[in-house]
Amino acid sequence: EATVSSTSMSRNKVCGISLTEKASVKVTGSNIASNGRHGVGTRGSVKGSLTNTTIAKNGYNGVLATDSGTKITLKNSVIESSKKFGLSVPSKGAATLTGTTVKGSGKSNISVSGGGKLTLKASNSVTSAKGDGIAVTSKGRIAVSGTGNVVSKNKANGLRLSGSGTQGTVVEKMSV
């Protein structure tokens, strides 16, 4: 378990933060940038909370939230200019966003697949991806439960759901 505040975790060969095997981290007011692979990489039922943190220009994903039991929460944070995906939620991982911006990713800003779950609470912005804003595939799930969410100016679809077993629930107004 670790608590990190006002720290830069940048220019590492692999990840800025790597969480494995039930690890837990709370990050506040930090910068995670220009890492070779992921800004935040996960594997094996981990927990991560990122608040008022910028995750930028990472070599693959800004944040990878993978594996059953993994729960990543982003609040008032920015994920930008990731080479592939800003936020990737595969293999039964879960991510919850509140007041967070995901923008300028090389593929989709947010990718949810393989039973992963994305929850958008209030005031999130998903813009300017070179692919889809949010892509939910292969039994992935999305739930929009807060107001003021905006998905705009992406080069492909704003919101794409595809594949058998893929689910989406929008209970509050969302601008796409």
Side-chain angles (χ1 to χ4, degrees):
E1 221 174 283
T3 300
V4 178
S5 60
S6 303
T7 300
S8 176
M9 293 161 277
S10 301
R11 298 183 185 192
N12 295 288
K13 189 172 182 177
V14 184
C15 298
I17 297 174
S18 180
L19 300 170
T20 62
E21 301 175 20
K22 300 185 181 179
S24 174
V25 69
K26 291 181 182 179
V27 179
T28 305
S30 294
N31 185 46
I32 305 167
S34 302
N35 294 290
R37 188 136 176 90
H38 311 301
V40 179
T42 65
R43 177 81 53 204
S45 191
V46 300
K47 308 262 184 289
S49 169
L50 298 113
T51 304
N52 298 321
T53 293
T54 298
I55 303 152
K57 299 179 183 175
N58 290 287
Y60 203 87
N61 297 309
V63 177
L64 172 64
T66 190
D67 290 340
S68 181
T70 291
K71 294 180 181 169
I72 300 296
T73 303
L74 290 129
K75 185 174 182 182
N76 301 327
S77 293
V78 175
I79 302 173
E80 63 182 324
S81 303
S82 301
K83 188 162 186 166
K84 300 291 182 183
F85 303 107
L87 171 63
S88 181
V89 190
S91 305
K92 299 182 182 175
T96 301
L97 279 63
T98 305
T100 291
T101 296
V102 185
K103 65 182 180 179
S105 301
K107 289 194 173 188
S108 299
N109 275 322
I110 301 175
S111 173
V112 185
S113 62
K117 182 177 181 184
L118 171 67
T119 302
L120 295 179
K121 293 192 174 179
S123 303
N124 296 291
S125 175
V126 181
T127 65
S128 305
K130 291 182 181 167
D132 296 321
I134 302 172
V136 185
T137 62
S138 304
K139 299 183 182 176
R141 296 175 293 151
I142 181 173
V144 179
S145 60
T147 61
N149 290 295
V150 176
V151 180
S152 66
K153 300 178 184 173
N154 298 288
K155 296 267 188 223
N157 303 294
L159 174 61
R160 177 173 59 94
L161 282 83
S162 65
S164 177
T166 299
Q167 299 175 356
T169 305
V170 179
V171 297
E172 291 291 345
K173 191 174 186 178
M174 177 174 163
S175 175
V176 179

